[in-house]
Amino acid sequence: MKIQFCGAAQTVTGSCHLLTLDDDFKILLDCGLYQGRDEEFEDFNANWIFDPSDIDCLVLSHAHIDHCGRIPKLVKDGFRGEIICTSATRDLSAVMLIDSAKIQESDAYYTNRRNKKKGLPPDAKPLYTHEDAYDSLQGFVGISYEQWHMIKEGVSVQFKDSGHIFGSASVTLKIERNGKNPVYFGFSGDIGRPDRPILKDPLPMENLDYLICESTYGGKKHNQLPQDVEDLLQIIEETCIKNKGKLIIPAFSVGRTQEIVHTLDKLETEGRLPEIPVFVDSPMAVNATEVFRLHPECFDSDILEYMIDDPNPFRFNDLKYIRKTEDSKKLNYLEGAAIIISASGMMTGGRIVHHLINNIEDPRNTILVVGFCAPHTLGAKIRRGDKKVRIFGVERKVNAKVKIMDSYSAHGDEGEMLDYLSNLDRNKLKNIFLVHGDIDRQEKFKEALKKDGFRSIEIPELGDKYELTPES
Ligand SMILES: [Zn+2]
C-alpha cells in the first residue's frame, strides 16, 4: 500500500490524499479546493498530481469546500467512480458545490472585466461551471454513520460523526488481506469539539493501524463556549447599542452561521437579545439550513430538546434571511444598528466582501472574526490587525474594530484532539501522518503526540509518498 499527500500538506486547505492498495486500486480521500489568494493557489487548483481517470473511488469526510471543492473538476477531468460520504454531507455538498461554481464563474467574469479595462486579454476561466457541479452530483453515494459500506470485495468504509460540521465524519477503511489481519486505515477529516451547540460530540475511531490526522490547532487552547455567549452579547451591546454601528460577522454559510444564529435565537428566547435587525445575507445559508432540518440524525440531544418548544432553532422575530441580490444591495443603504452575517468566512469572496467595503472604514462598526482564516486571505490580514487592506484592488482603511472569537472554531484545540485520539492503541498504530495545519502548529502537535506515547509521527510535504508495510 502507498499513501501520497496531494493537498493540505503543511497548510490548512486543499485536503486531498491518495491511497493506493496493493492491487493498484486507488482511493482518494477528500478532494478539496485550496482557498487562498496567493499564486500557489491557482497552480494547485488547476493541476492534478495524479490522473483523475486513474482514481477508482473518492471518500469524502465532509462538505467544507477545502475538502470537497475540486470534485466537479475531478469529474470534469475524467473521474468516474463513486463519491462516498454521509447522507448529510451528500446533501450539503450539493449546496456547497453549486455555490462554489457560481463564485468561480463570477470571479472569472469580474477578472475579465478588469483585464479588458487594462487592455489585457479577457482569458480568465472558472475552474468549473455550475453545469460541472450538477454533473458531479451524479456520482455521490450517501450512507449512514456507523455502517460498514463495501467499496469493493475486501475493502469497506465506515463513517463516525466527527462533530465538526453537519454531516462531518472520520473515515475508517478496512482492508482485508488473504489470511492476515485486516488493516484499519483512519482519516480524521476535521476533528470537531465536544459540548458545542447543534452537533454531537466527536466519536473516536478504533483499532487503527495508520492514521492521517488533522492538526489545525496544534499547541492551542480555545476559550470555552459559555463565556463566548456573554462575549458575543457584549460585542453586540457595544457596537449596536452604544455606538449605533453595524456588527459584521463573516462566517461560513454552513455551520458557523447556524451556530451563531442559534445562539442569537436562544438569547432572544431568553429575552436578552437587544431589538436590532439581524440579517443572514447568504442564499447558501438559507439552503444549508433547510438541509439541516432534513437530517436530525446529526443533531445533539440539547437542540432536539430545545426544538420541542421552539421547532425552528434558526429563526426568530428580528432575523431576516436574504436570498436575492437586490435585497442584499439594499443593506448598503441601511441606516442605524444591525447585525449582518454573511459569507465567505475567510472573506475571499461572496457578499461579505461588499459589506466589508461598505463598513470597514467606519469606526462605529465591528468586524467579528469567528474562525480560522488561511494565510494570504483578506480574512487573515484583517484578523492579524492590518490597518489597511486591499479589497477589489482598492486600498481601504480598517477603522472598524476587529474582534476575534476563535472558540466558534469548528476545530478541536490541542487538548480536544488528544482526547479524541486517546483510545487508540499506541503499539498497534504504526504511523500518524499530520495534515491540515501550518507547520508551526504541526510541530507542536507532533511533540504533544510523542509525549502522549504515539510513535512515528510524520509531517508530509505536498506530493510526498510513503510505502505502508503492515505487519503480517
Ligand atoms: Zn472542515
Side-chain angles (χ1 to χ4, degrees):
M1 284 198 320
K2 273 195 298 270
I3 179 78
Q4 186 180 18
F5 295 90
C6 310
Q10 303 187 6
T11 181
V12 292
T13 81
S15 178
C16 191
H17 318 294
L18 175 59
L19 184 67
T20 305
L21 305 184
D22 288 338
D23 61 358
D24 215 32
F25 191 84
K26 288 183 164 57
I27 301 171
L28 202 61
L29 298 164
D30 285 355
C31 188
L33 196 73
Y34 187 95
Q35 293 172 301
R37 286 289 168 197
D38 46 347
E39 277 167 26
E40 200 185 336
F41 126 88
E42 289 199 19
D43 269 10
F44 178 89
N45 287 335
N47 301 303
W48 303 104
I49 53 177
F50 47 79
D51 180 350
S53 62
D54 281 350
I55 307 295
D56 295 289
C57 165
L58 167 60
V59 178
L60 175 62
S61 65
H62 64 289
H64 272 151
I65 282 299
D66 65 317
H67 293 257
C68 73
R70 282 201 301 166
I71 290 176
K73 182 167 167 59
L74 188 80
V75 174
K76 186 172 93 170
D77 293 348
F79 170 73
R80 290 293 172 269
E82 287 185 339
I83 301 160
I84 305 169
C85 56
T86 67
S87 306
T89 292
R90 190 240 160 256
D91 293 351
L92 269 187
S93 297
V95 173
M96 302 288 280
L97 292 177
I98 288 154
D99 184 79
S100 166
K102 281 186 192 157
I103 290 174
Q104 289 176 58
E105 285 173 315
S106 107
D107 279 357
Y109 169 81
Y110 285 108
T111 306
N112 283 335
R113 217 168 66 166
R114 277 201 304 277
N115 284 351
K116 252 184 176 170
K117 274 187 196 158
K118 289 182 195 161
L120 298 168
D123 56 2
K125 283 197 182 75
L127 202 60
Y128 50 84
T129 62
H130 63 279
E131 285 99 342
D132 298 324
Y134 281 119
D135 277 351
S136 71
L137 296 177
Q138 301 280 0
F140 275 76
V141 179
I143 64 169
S144 297
Y145 285 110
E146 302 294 327
Q147 307 288 323
W148 282 104
H149 171 85
M150 196 166 88
I151 295 177
K152 68 159 194 150
E153 186 77 45
V155 182
S156 30
V157 62
Q158 184 194 44
F159 293 113
K160 281 175 176 286
D161 200 324
S162 67
H164 166 68
I165 62 159
F166 220 68
S168 67
S170 67
V171 175
T172 305
L173 293 166
K174 182 182 179 187
I175 301 150
E176 311 273 1
R177 299 180 301 153
N178 286 340
K180 298 174 189 164
N181 290 331
V183 174
Y184 289 89
F185 189 98
F187 170 40
S188 70
D190 288 354
I191 302 169
R193 312 188 57 202
D195 303 323
R196 283 178 58 231
I198 308 173
L199 299 176
K200 288 182 183 160
D201 292 356
L203 222 80
M205 287 175 278
E206 288 156 13
N207 253 328
L208 300 181
D209 297 286
Y210 297 97
L211 170 64
I212 299 178
C213 188
E214 75 123 316
S215 48
T216 314
Y217 284 119
K220 254 209 120 191
K221 188 165 170 33
H222 295 323
N223 280 334
Q224 290 306 304
L225 209 54
Q227 181 196 328
D228 270 9
V229 178
E230 302 313 313
D231 286 353
L232 178 63
L233 199 55
Q234 206 191 336
I235 293 169
I236 293 170
E237 272 161 6
E238 176 148 350
T239 306
C240 303
I241 305 299
K242 204 175 131 208
N243 297 339
K244 311 242 178 306
K246 294 190 177 64
L247 175 59
I248 308 294
I249 310 181
F252 285 116
S253 305
V254 176
R256 209 73 44 88
T257 293
Q258 287 78 12
E259 231 171 70
I260 294 165
V261 167
H262 180 51
T263 305
L264 297 174
D265 188 303
K266 279 202 290 195
L267 285 170
E268 202 249 12
T269 304
E270 291 164 11
R272 299 167 72 203
L273 189 68
E275 278 185 28
I276 33 167
V278 180
F279 300 94
V280 175
D281 184 18
S282 159
M284 186 163 63
V286 187
N287 296 338
T289 308
E290 281 164 10
V291 173
F292 274 43
R293 288 161 63 88
L294 286 173
H295 290 283
E297 77 276 13
C298 300
F299 284 135
D300 72 0
S301 53
D302 289 348
I303 190 163
L304 289 174
E305 205 168 295
Y306 182 85
M307 284 164 67
I308 296 171
D309 291 326
D310 180 355
N312 196 336
F314 308 108
R315 194 173 279 282
F316 52 93
N317 280 339
D318 291 320
L319 175 72
K320 206 172 167 212
Y321 284 97
I322 295 180
R323 262 187 203 275
K324 289 186 189 158
T325 314
E326 305 94 88
D327 293 337
S328 174
K329 283 182 179 161
K330 279 183 198 158
L331 294 182
N332 297 348
Y333 307 100
L334 188 76
E335 298 278 340
I339 300 174
I340 301 174
I341 304 164
S342 187
S344 72
M346 297 193 196
M347 308 175 223
T348 48
R351 292 179 180 178
I352 189 66
V353 181
H354 298 278
H355 296 306
L356 290 170
I357 290 172
N358 274 305
N359 294 291
I360 201 164
E361 297 195 303
D362 186 336
R364 291 175 300 173
N365 300 332
T366 301
I367 298 163
L368 176 58
V369 185
V370 288
F372 182 84
C373 297
H376 310 293
T377 55
L378 175 60
K381 288 170 191 160
I382 290 176
R383 210 192 132 103
R384 74 176 177 216
D386 284 12
K387 291 288 163 219
K388 287 175 193 162
V389 289
R390 288 188 87 78
I391 309 179
F392 288 153
V394 178
E395 194 173 85
R396 315 264 171 186
K397 285 190 188 131
V398 184
N399 294 331
K401 287 180 199 70
V402 175
K403 302 262 181 184
I404 296 168
M405 274 173 52
D406 268 337
S407 49
Y408 269 104
S409 168
H411 288 268
D413 63 16
E414 183 174 280
E416 288 162 344
M417 289 195 288
L418 289 173
D419 280 351
Y420 174 75
L421 301 176
S422 62
N423 72 317
L424 292 174
D425 182 338
R426 272 65 168 164
N427 288 319
K428 185 171 160 62
L429 186 59
K430 267 192 107 177
N431 292 103
I432 301 181
F433 300 98
L434 295 184
V435 296
H436 205 289
D438 293 327
I439 186 71
D440 52 328
R441 298 259 158 248
Q442 295 190 305
E443 296 286 4
K444 284 186 178 134
F445 193 41
K446 180 175 173 173
E447 280 314 303
L449 285 166
K450 270 191 189 162
K451 256 190 215 157
D452 217 6
F454 289 101
R455 54 186 178 136
S456 184
I457 301 144
E458 306 284 346
I459 303 178
E461 285 182 34
L462 184 66
D464 278 358
K465 285 181 193 167
Y466 293 79
E467 196 75 41
L468 308 178
T469 48
E471 275 136 32
S472 40

